[in-house]
């Protein structure tokens, strides 16, 4: 049975398709493109869904219907000539267009933004059914993101999800409890949606153009639209190469502008600071739910200039201050604060693939067909975790366990050394992994403890492929992989 996983937000739709037993493949939704922009052009006799609406956002904004998904069930209208649309009608047209692109008869499960209310979610499902979709159900995008990034989730605790679309930048918290994940809460920030980043970049690029040529590209609707389209592609596909080239051309003048990617990040520094400030106010609300041990960043959020780096730099500042760099922590810190979390970025189809996986479970009767608020997670130990030589995975890097004794700590003599400035909770010689015949055993050497799968180690414990190792109650998290001795 072939199924469809759909990733839908205020910016665009993406979908993957394939049988339950095989990896799905991306579906073209507009020509050969994998994305269908959630935009409508009201220029012609009939509304046109997709890029035609995006092409009018700056040149003729009164003829473009955009950012309508968050307005479902509300009174906002888009009026142009004979056209009178509300958000419900606009989304219905999108669903009719998607119905012509998606394989007929294939059951669909949709991942949708967490900022939609229950009433809006019900309305979205009704509109999909009116378009004759064989809809299996819906899941919040943060939960689908957690499933997509399950290899980077804590064994138990809280993971943050950072997402962005045309409407809002959204922080979400996912509670992980060994075998399942559930959405705790979400904090949408409409003033930091992708459109805000586009507006800031247009302002700064226009200022550079004025400085060089004394011409403002915003004075020409066509030139401004061209600039908007180039920057939008940048935020959709990222930077290729060491520089960014923008070409502005009118009937009477032309300007070629070149930027380093760091310059684009500098243009948006006030937006990244605001995103981190909102995170700082959001984290205290999660204190009772457990430690935050990882951050999953969707593809659209990861392409916002400077945002990922700001998150990586901001998390240590938001963590609770340590007692001192030279002393061990006590057990009273277990319920406090935030771990210096690794940040993981997902690819563009990750959420759609997770929706496809959930569609298979719903179709098989493993999950209900209503809104999915809690989802089971696959077993942590898999054939992939067992394959290869014994190694530790940390912050996206893998370190082979060389020799019969492998030590971890802040002491420079350790095999894996943690910087004091970044990991003050790690002891000088925190723990050792010892190979005894074909078994790897973790020996705890610290006063404040080491945890395996969030269970305190009583002196020593054998390691199994896929186990999670935490150095102290609020320390860094590593994963033990492989099972054979390195050659």
């Amino acid at each position: 049975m072939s199924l469809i996983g759909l990733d839908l937000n205020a910016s665009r739709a993406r979908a993957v398709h394939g049988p339950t037993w095989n990896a799905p493949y991306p579906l073209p939704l507009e020509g050969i493109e994998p994305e269908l922009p959630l935009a409508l052009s009201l220029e012609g006799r009939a509304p046109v869904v997709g890029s035609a609406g995006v092409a009018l956002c700056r040149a003729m904004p009164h003829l473009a219907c955009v950012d309508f998904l968050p307005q479902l069930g509300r009174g906002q209208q888009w009026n142009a000539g004979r056209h009178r649309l509300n958000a419900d009608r606009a989304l219905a047209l999108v669903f009719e267009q998607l119905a012509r692109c998606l394989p007929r008869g294939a059951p669909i499960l949709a991942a949708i933004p967490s900022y939609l209310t229950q009433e809006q979610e019900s309305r979205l499902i009704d509109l999909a059914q009116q378009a004759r979709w064989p809809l299996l159900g819906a899941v919040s995008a943060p939960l689908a993101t957690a499933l997509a990034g399950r290899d980077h989730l804590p064994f138990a605790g809280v993971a943050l999800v950072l997402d962005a679309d045309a409407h809002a930048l959204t922080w979400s918290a996912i509670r992980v409890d060994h075998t399942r994940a559930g959405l705790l809460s979400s904090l949408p920030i409409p003033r930091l949606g992708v459109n805000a980043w586009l507006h800031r970049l247009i302002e700064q690029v226009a200022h550079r153009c004025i400085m060089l040529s004394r011409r403002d590209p915003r004075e020409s609707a066509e030139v401004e639209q061209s600039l908007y389209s180039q920057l939008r592609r940048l935020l959709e596909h990222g930077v290729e190469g060491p520089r960014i080239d923008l070409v502005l051309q009118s009937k009477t003048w032309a300007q070629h502008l070149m930027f380093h990617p760091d310059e684009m990040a500098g243009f948006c520094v006030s937006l990244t600071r605001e995103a981190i400030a909102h995170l700082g106010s959001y984290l205290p609300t999660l204190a009772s739910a457990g430690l935050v041990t990882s951050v999953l960043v969707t593809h659209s959020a990861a392409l916002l200039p400077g945002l990922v780096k700001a998150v990586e730099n901001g998390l240590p500042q938001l963590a609770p201050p340590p007692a001192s760099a030279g002393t061990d922590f006590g057990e009273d810190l277990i319920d406090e604060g935030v771990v210096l979390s690794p940040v993981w970025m997902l690819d563009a189809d990750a959420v759609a693939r997770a929706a496809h996986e959930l569609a298979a479970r719903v179709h098989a009767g493993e999950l209900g067909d209503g809104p999915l608020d809690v989802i089971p997670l696959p077993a942590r130990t898999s054939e992939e975790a067992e394959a290869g030589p014994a190694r530790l995975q940390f912050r996206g890097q893998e370190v082979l366990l060389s020799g019969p004794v492998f030590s971890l700590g802040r002491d420079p003599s350790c095999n894996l050394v943690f910087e004091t400035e970044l990991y003050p909770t790690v002891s000088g010689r925190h723990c050792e992994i010892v190979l005894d015949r074909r078994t790897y055993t973790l020996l705890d050497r610290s006063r404040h403890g080491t945890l395996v799968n969030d269970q305190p180690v009583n002196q020593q414990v054998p390691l199994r492929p896929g186990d999670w190792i935490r150095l102290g109650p609020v320390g860094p998290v590593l994963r033990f992989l492989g099972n054979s001795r390195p050659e």
Side-chain angles (χ1 to χ4, degrees):
M1 167 63 92
S2 288
L3 302 168
I4 296 172
L6 178 67
D7 178 12
L8 181 74
N9 63 29
S11 296
R12 82 309 176 253
R14 292 184 73 101
V16 297
H17 172 248
T20 58
W21 62 86
N22 205 352
Y25 58 86
L27 281 170
L29 298 183
E30 189 178 50
I32 62 173
E33 296 298 324
E35 289 191 357
L36 176 69
L38 252 66
L40 285 85
S41 167
L42 307 181
E43 186 178 19
R45 292 186 176 182
V48 178
V49 177
S51 297
V54 175
L56 298 176
C57 284
R58 292 286 172 157
M60 292 181 282
H62 61 288
L63 298 179
C65 176
V66 295
D67 200 16
F68 49 81
L69 183 63
Q71 304 303 322
L72 281 178
R74 297 173 182 170
Q76 184 170 342
Q77 294 276 338
W78 284 263
N79 302 321
R82 69 180 70 185
H83 302 301
R84 300 288 186 273
L85 296 180
N86 60 14
D88 294 45
R89 177 56 182 159
L91 188 60
L93 291 171
V94 170
F95 284 174
E96 291 173 9
Q97 176 67 22
L98 285 172
R100 292 189 283 269
C101 302
L102 301 177
R104 183 171 298 180
I108 302 168
L109 192 136
I112 59 177
S114 57
Y115 55 68
L116 295 179
T117 65
Q118 289 185 353
E119 293 77 10
Q120 289 177 317
E121 183 176 335
S122 298
R123 184 58 184 150
L124 184 149
I125 293 173
D126 289 343
L127 291 170
Q129 292 172 342
Q130 290 174 22
R132 299 185 178 181
W133 285 15
L135 190 67
L136 292 173
V139 62
S140 71
L143 261 183
T145 304
L147 180 61
R150 57 181 173 263
D151 288 341
H152 309 307
L153 292 177
F155 189 78
V158 177
L160 292 176
V161 172
L162 176 58
D163 193 12
D165 64 7
H167 173 66
L169 183 144
T170 303
W171 288 105
S172 299
I174 305 293
R175 186 199 297 273
V176 182
D177 184 11
H178 304 291
T179 60
R180 62 181 186 172
L183 179 63
L184 278 174
S185 63
S186 287
L187 176 66
I189 313 164
R191 60 181 285 114
L192 293 181
V194 174
N195 287 338
W197 299 72
L198 279 169
H199 180 73
R200 178 61 54 83
L201 291 175
I202 288 173
E203 283 186 337
Q204 296 298 321
V205 172
H207 178 71
R208 176 70 61 82
C209 188
I210 293 170
M211 294 290 292
L212 294 175
S213 66
R214 296 187 181 181
R215 295 185 175 94
D216 188 341
R218 295 167 296 184
E219 293 179 352
S220 166
E222 291 75 15
V223 177
E224 183 178 2
Q225 179 64 52
S226 173
L227 175 57
Y228 171 85
S229 298
Q230 292 177 71
L231 291 172
R232 182 184 171 100
R233 284 194 296 272
L234 177 69
L235 298 190
E236 290 175 349
H237 304 294
V239 179
E240 296 181 1
R243 73 181 192 189
I244 299 166
D245 292 271
L246 300 174
V247 177
L248 307 178
Q249 186 168 0
S250 72
K251 295 179 180 179
T252 58
W253 61 274
Q255 183 70 47
H256 180 195
L257 301 174
M258 293 177 289
F259 299 90
H260 189 276
D262 289 345
E263 290 184 272
M264 291 294 185
F267 294 157
C268 300
V269 67
S270 63
L271 299 177
T272 57
R273 286 174 178 169
E274 188 172 350
I276 300 304
H278 280 284
L279 175 60
S281 63
Y282 183 47
L283 286 175
T285 68
L286 309 175
S288 62
L291 297 172
V292 177
T293 54
S294 59
V295 180
L296 304 177
V297 184
T298 64
H299 184 73
S300 56
L303 292 182
L304 296 178
L307 183 57
V308 170
K309 187 174 182 179
V311 173
E312 291 175 334
N313 293 338
L315 281 170
Q317 300 174 25
L318 298 173
S324 71
T327 61
D328 288 337
F329 271 47
E331 295 181 358
D332 58 334
L333 288 179
I334 290 180
D335 292 327
E336 293 185 23
V338 179
V339 175
L340 308 184
S341 309
V343 178
W344 307 96
M345 293 169 283
L346 305 183
D347 64 78
D349 287 318
V351 174
R353 288 196 303 270
H356 178 272
E357 181 178 336
L358 290 171
R361 296 191 196 179
V362 173
H363 192 264
E366 298 176 13
L367 300 174
D369 57 0
L372 300 176
D373 300 318
V374 177
I375 58 174
L377 296 172
R380 292 307 178 103
T381 301
S382 62
E383 293 182 0
E384 182 179 354
E386 295 175 3
R391 60 200 186 277
L392 293 175
Q393 185 184 73
F394 179 59
R395 296 185 67 86
Q397 303 294 321
E398 294 187 352
V399 181
L400 292 178
L401 298 185
S402 57
V405 179
F406 189 91
S407 56
L408 299 86
R410 297 198 328 265
D411 193 299
S413 65
C414 290
N415 297 103
L416 183 55
V417 180
F418 296 86
E419 298 179 24
T420 299
E421 294 77 10
L422 295 178
Y423 304 101
T425 65
V426 174
S427 298
R429 195 173 185 88
H430 197 98
C431 64
E432 296 173 346
I433 298 176
V434 178
L435 175 62
D436 181 12
R437 297 182 182 178
R438 295 188 62 84
T439 301
Y440 285 90
T441 300
L442 185 142
L443 306 179
D444 179 35
R445 302 296 191 191
S446 67
R447 285 182 10 206
H448 60 275
T450 303
L451 299 92
V452 173
N453 297 332
D454 278 356
Q455 297 299 312
V457 174
N458 184 11
Q459 295 186 340
Q460 65 182 48
V461 64
L463 292 175
R464 297 170 298 176
D467 281 346
W468 295 84
I469 303 168
R470 191 200 305 273
L471 305 186
V474 292
V477 177
L478 308 92
R479 195 180 189 197
F480 175 70
L481 298 172
N483 208 18
S484 61
R485 181 173 181 173
E487 297 297 335

